mmCIF file of all heavy atoms in Angstrom:
data_model
loop_
_atom_site.group_PDB
_atom_site.id
_atom_site.type_symbol
_atom_site.label_atom_id
_atom_site.label_comp_id
_atom_site.label_asym_id
_atom_site.label_seq_id
_atom_site.Cartn_x
_atom_site.Cartn_y
_atom_site.Cartn_z
ATOM 1 N N MET X 331 -13.999 7.262 -8.545
ATOM 2 C CA MET X 331 -14.645 6.346 -9.484
ATOM 3 C C MET X 331 -16.150 6.520 -9.455
ATOM 4 O O MET X 331 -16.814 6.443 -10.502
ATOM 5 C CB MET X 331 -14.272 4.900 -9.161
ATOM 6 C CG MET X 331 -12.847 4.595 -9.509
ATOM 7 S SD MET X 331 -12.515 2.852 -9.478
ATOM 8 C CE MET X 331 -13.607 2.240 -10.684
ATOM 9 N N ARG X 337 -16.866 1.815 -13.792
ATOM 10 C CA ARG X 337 -17.236 0.516 -13.202
ATOM 11 C C ARG X 337 -16.317 -0.616 -13.654
ATOM 12 O O ARG X 337 -16.614 -1.772 -13.434
ATOM 13 C CB ARG X 337 -18.675 0.179 -13.607
ATOM 14 C CG ARG X 337 -19.687 1.191 -13.195
ATOM 15 C CD ARG X 337 -20.207 0.828 -11.841
ATOM 16 N NE ARG X 337 -21.307 1.718 -11.479
ATOM 17 C CZ ARG X 337 -21.340 2.369 -10.341
ATOM 18 N NH1 ARG X 337 -20.387 2.236 -9.485
ATOM 19 N NH2 ARG X 337 -22.348 3.162 -10.064
ATOM 20 N N SER X 338 -15.196 -0.316 -14.253
ATOM 21 C CA SER X 338 -14.302 -1.332 -14.798
ATOM 22 C C SER X 338 -13.511 -2.045 -13.702
ATOM 23 O O SER X 338 -12.854 -1.412 -12.880
ATOM 24 C CB SER X 338 -13.327 -0.692 -15.786
ATOM 25 O OG SER X 338 -12.342 -1.612 -16.174
ATOM 26 N N ALA X 339 -13.578 -3.358 -13.712
ATOM 27 C CA ALA X 339 -12.836 -4.144 -12.706
ATOM 28 C C ALA X 339 -11.336 -4.018 -12.915
ATOM 29 O O ALA X 339 -10.578 -3.942 -11.949
ATOM 30 C CB ALA X 339 -13.252 -5.603 -12.789
ATOM 31 N N SER X 340 -10.890 -3.985 -14.165
ATOM 32 C CA SER X 340 -9.444 -3.932 -14.416
ATOM 33 C C SER X 340 -8.827 -2.645 -13.897
ATOM 34 O O SER X 340 -7.701 -2.660 -13.384
ATOM 35 C CB SER X 340 -9.161 -4.113 -15.913
ATOM 36 O OG SER X 340 -9.805 -3.095 -16.652
ATOM 37 N N VAL X 342 -9.895 -0.865 -11.303
ATOM 38 C CA VAL X 342 -9.885 -0.966 -9.835
ATOM 39 C C VAL X 342 -8.761 -1.886 -9.376
ATOM 40 O O VAL X 342 -8.022 -1.564 -8.438
ATOM 41 C CB VAL X 342 -11.253 -1.487 -9.322
ATOM 42 C CG1 VAL X 342 -11.210 -1.722 -7.833
ATOM 43 C CG2 VAL X 342 -12.353 -0.505 -9.667
ATOM 44 N N ILE X 343 -8.602 -3.024 -10.020
ATOM 45 C CA ILE X 343 -7.566 -3.979 -9.634
ATOM 46 C C ILE X 343 -6.175 -3.397 -9.862
ATOM 47 O O ILE X 343 -5.291 -3.509 -8.997
ATOM 48 C CB ILE X 343 -7.753 -5.306 -10.398
ATOM 49 C CG1 ILE X 343 -9.038 -5.998 -9.915
ATOM 50 C CG2 ILE X 343 -6.549 -6.219 -10.234
ATOM 51 C CD1 ILE X 343 -9.476 -7.150 -10.762
ATOM 52 N N ALA X 383 -4.192 -6.103 -5.178
ATOM 53 C CA ALA X 383 -5.072 -6.465 -6.290
ATOM 54 C C ALA X 383 -6.279 -7.272 -5.811
ATOM 55 O O ALA X 383 -7.413 -7.019 -6.241
ATOM 56 C CB ALA X 383 -4.271 -7.257 -7.333
ATOM 57 N N ILE X 384 -6.067 -8.216 -4.925
ATOM 58 C CA ILE X 384 -7.166 -9.024 -4.403
ATOM 59 C C ILE X 384 -8.136 -8.177 -3.600
ATOM 60 O O ILE X 384 -9.359 -8.287 -3.746
ATOM 61 C CB ILE X 384 -6.634 -10.206 -3.580
ATOM 62 C CG1 ILE X 384 -5.948 -11.216 -4.495
ATOM 63 C CG2 ILE X 384 -7.752 -10.871 -2.788
ATOM 64 C CD1 ILE X 384 -5.162 -12.281 -3.773
ATOM 65 N N SER X 385 -7.612 -7.289 -2.764
ATOM 66 C CA SER X 385 -8.474 -6.410 -1.971
ATOM 67 C C SER X 385 -9.298 -5.497 -2.869
ATOM 68 O O SER X 385 -10.488 -5.280 -2.630
ATOM 69 C CB SER X 385 -7.634 -5.567 -1.023
ATOM 70 O OG SER X 385 -6.963 -6.389 -0.112
ATOM 71 N N ALA X 386 -8.666 -4.954 -3.889
ATOM 72 C CA ALA X 386 -9.394 -4.086 -4.825
ATOM 73 C C ALA X 386 -10.443 -4.875 -5.605
ATOM 74 O O ALA X 386 -11.548 -4.370 -5.837
ATOM 75 C CB ALA X 386 -8.413 -3.414 -5.785
ATOM 76 N N TRP X 387 -10.120 -6.103 -5.991
ATOM 77 C CA TRP X 387 -11.101 -6.916 -6.703
ATOM 78 C C TRP X 387 -12.302 -7.221 -5.801
ATOM 79 O O TRP X 387 -13.440 -7.172 -6.242
ATOM 80 C CB TRP X 387 -10.455 -8.204 -7.206
ATOM 81 C CG TRP X 387 -11.440 -9.130 -7.828
ATOM 82 C CD1 TRP X 387 -12.041 -8.991 -9.046
ATOM 83 C CD2 TRP X 387 -11.951 -10.337 -7.267
ATOM 84 N NE1 TRP X 387 -12.882 -10.048 -9.269
ATOM 85 C CE2 TRP X 387 -12.862 -10.890 -8.187
ATOM 86 C CE3 TRP X 387 -11.725 -11.009 -6.069
ATOM 87 C CZ2 TRP X 387 -13.525 -12.084 -7.947
ATOM 88 C CZ3 TRP X 387 -12.392 -12.191 -5.841
ATOM 89 C CH2 TRP X 387 -13.275 -12.709 -6.774
ATOM 90 N N LEU X 388 -12.026 -7.531 -4.544
ATOM 91 C CA LEU X 388 -13.139 -7.775 -3.605
ATOM 92 C C LEU X 388 -13.988 -6.524 -3.420
ATOM 93 O O LEU X 388 -15.214 -6.607 -3.328
ATOM 94 C CB LEU X 388 -12.598 -8.264 -2.258
ATOM 95 C CG LEU X 388 -12.043 -9.675 -2.254
ATOM 96 C CD1 LEU X 388 -11.352 -9.971 -0.940
ATOM 97 C CD2 LEU X 388 -13.127 -10.686 -2.548
ATOM 98 N N TYR X 389 -13.343 -5.361 -3.365
ATOM 99 C CA TYR X 389 -14.093 -4.107 -3.275
ATOM 100 C C TYR X 389 -14.972 -3.960 -4.510
ATOM 101 O O TYR X 389 -16.157 -3.633 -4.416
ATOM 102 C CB TYR X 389 -13.148 -2.908 -3.162
ATOM 103 C CG TYR X 389 -13.844 -1.616 -3.454
ATOM 104 C CD1 TYR X 389 -14.730 -1.077 -2.530
ATOM 105 C CD2 TYR X 389 -13.662 -0.965 -4.656
ATOM 106 C CE1 TYR X 389 -15.402 0.106 -2.812
ATOM 107 C CE2 TYR X 389 -14.332 0.195 -4.946
ATOM 108 C CZ TYR X 389 -15.200 0.735 -4.019
ATOM 109 O OH TYR X 389 -15.866 1.882 -4.304
ATOM 110 N N TRP X 390 -14.401 -4.175 -5.702
ATOM 111 C CA TRP X 390 -15.178 -4.056 -6.937
ATOM 112 C C TRP X 390 -16.344 -5.040 -6.921
ATOM 113 O O TRP X 390 -17.471 -4.688 -7.272
ATOM 114 C CB TRP X 390 -14.293 -4.318 -8.157
ATOM 115 C CG TRP X 390 -15.066 -4.338 -9.428
ATOM 116 C CD1 TRP X 390 -15.451 -3.249 -10.163
ATOM 117 C CD2 TRP X 390 -15.576 -5.485 -10.102
ATOM 118 N NE1 TRP X 390 -16.157 -3.673 -11.261
ATOM 119 C CE2 TRP X 390 -16.254 -5.034 -11.246
ATOM 120 C CE3 TRP X 390 -15.522 -6.853 -9.854
ATOM 121 C CZ2 TRP X 390 -16.866 -5.895 -12.136
ATOM 122 C CZ3 TRP X 390 -16.136 -7.708 -10.744
ATOM 123 C CH2 TRP X 390 -16.801 -7.234 -11.867
ATOM 124 N N LEU X 391 -16.083 -6.250 -6.501
ATOM 125 C CA LEU X 391 -17.107 -7.284 -6.497
ATOM 126 C C LEU X 391 -18.257 -6.946 -5.570
ATOM 127 O O LEU X 391 -19.434 -7.128 -5.917
ATOM 128 C CB LEU X 391 -16.482 -8.626 -6.091
ATOM 129 C CG LEU X 391 -17.284 -9.885 -6.331
ATOM 130 C CD1 LEU X 391 -17.515 -10.066 -7.812
ATOM 131 C CD2 LEU X 391 -16.538 -11.068 -5.764
ATOM 132 N N THR X 392 -17.958 -6.412 -4.393
ATOM 133 C CA THR X 392 -19.015 -6.142 -3.428
ATOM 134 C C THR X 392 -19.644 -4.766 -3.583
ATOM 135 O O THR X 392 -20.838 -4.606 -3.350
ATOM 136 C CB THR X 392 -18.478 -6.269 -1.984
ATOM 137 O OG1 THR X 392 -17.394 -5.359 -1.803
ATOM 138 C CG2 THR X 392 -18.034 -7.678 -1.690
ATOM 139 N N ALA X 393 -18.877 -3.766 -3.972
ATOM 140 C CA ALA X 393 -19.416 -2.406 -3.984
ATOM 141 C C ALA X 393 -19.800 -1.906 -5.371
ATOM 142 O O ALA X 393 -20.733 -1.119 -5.495
ATOM 143 C CB ALA X 393 -18.391 -1.447 -3.387
ATOM 144 N N LEU X 394 -19.103 -2.328 -6.397
ATOM 145 C CA LEU X 394 -19.358 -1.769 -7.724
ATOM 146 C C LEU X 394 -20.083 -2.708 -8.676
ATOM 147 O O LEU X 394 -20.808 -2.263 -9.545
ATOM 148 C CB LEU X 394 -18.032 -1.340 -8.369
ATOM 149 C CG LEU X 394 -17.295 -0.220 -7.662
ATOM 150 C CD1 LEU X 394 -15.981 0.056 -8.359
ATOM 151 C CD2 LEU X 394 -18.146 1.032 -7.599
ATOM 152 N N HIS X 395 -19.859 -3.996 -8.543
ATOM 153 C CA HIS X 395 -20.468 -4.959 -9.466
ATOM 154 C C HIS X 395 -21.893 -5.237 -9.018
ATOM 155 O O HIS X 395 -22.124 -5.912 -8.043
ATOM 156 C CB HIS X 395 -19.654 -6.245 -9.496
ATOM 157 C CG HIS X 395 -20.185 -7.273 -10.435
ATOM 158 N ND1 HIS X 395 -20.212 -7.074 -11.776
ATOM 159 C CD2 HIS X 395 -20.723 -8.487 -10.218
ATOM 160 C CE1 HIS X 395 -20.747 -8.143 -12.357
ATOM 161 N NE2 HIS X 395 -21.063 -9.014 -11.417
ATOM 162 N N ARG X 396 -22.834 -4.679 -9.736
ATOM 163 C CA ARG X 396 -24.254 -4.829 -9.403
ATOM 164 C C ARG X 396 -24.938 -5.646 -10.493
ATOM 165 O O ARG X 396 -25.357 -5.104 -11.497
ATOM 166 C CB ARG X 396 -24.927 -3.475 -9.300
ATOM 167 C CG ARG X 396 -24.293 -2.536 -8.334
ATOM 168 C CD ARG X 396 -24.832 -2.779 -6.980
ATOM 169 N NE ARG X 396 -24.278 -1.768 -6.070
ATOM 170 C CZ ARG X 396 -24.099 -1.972 -4.818
ATOM 171 N NH1 ARG X 396 -24.411 -3.114 -4.282
ATOM 172 N NH2 ARG X 396 -23.592 -1.041 -4.063
ATOM 173 N N PRO X 397 -25.058 -6.956 -10.301
ATOM 174 C CA PRO X 397 -25.746 -7.756 -11.313
ATOM 175 C C PRO X 397 -27.231 -7.382 -11.360
ATOM 176 O O PRO X 397 -27.825 -6.993 -10.368
ATOM 177 C CB PRO X 397 -25.564 -9.197 -10.853
ATOM 178 C CG PRO X 397 -25.231 -9.092 -9.413
ATOM 179 C CD PRO X 397 -24.593 -7.754 -9.198
#
Side-chain angles (χ1 to χ4, degrees):
M331 289 193 60
R337 302 269 186 232
S338 172
S340 59
V342 174
I343 292 168
I384 290 169
S385 297
W387 175 73
L388 289 171
Y389 164 74
W390 174 83
L391 194 63
T392 58
L394 296 178
H395 181 65
R396 304 274 185 209

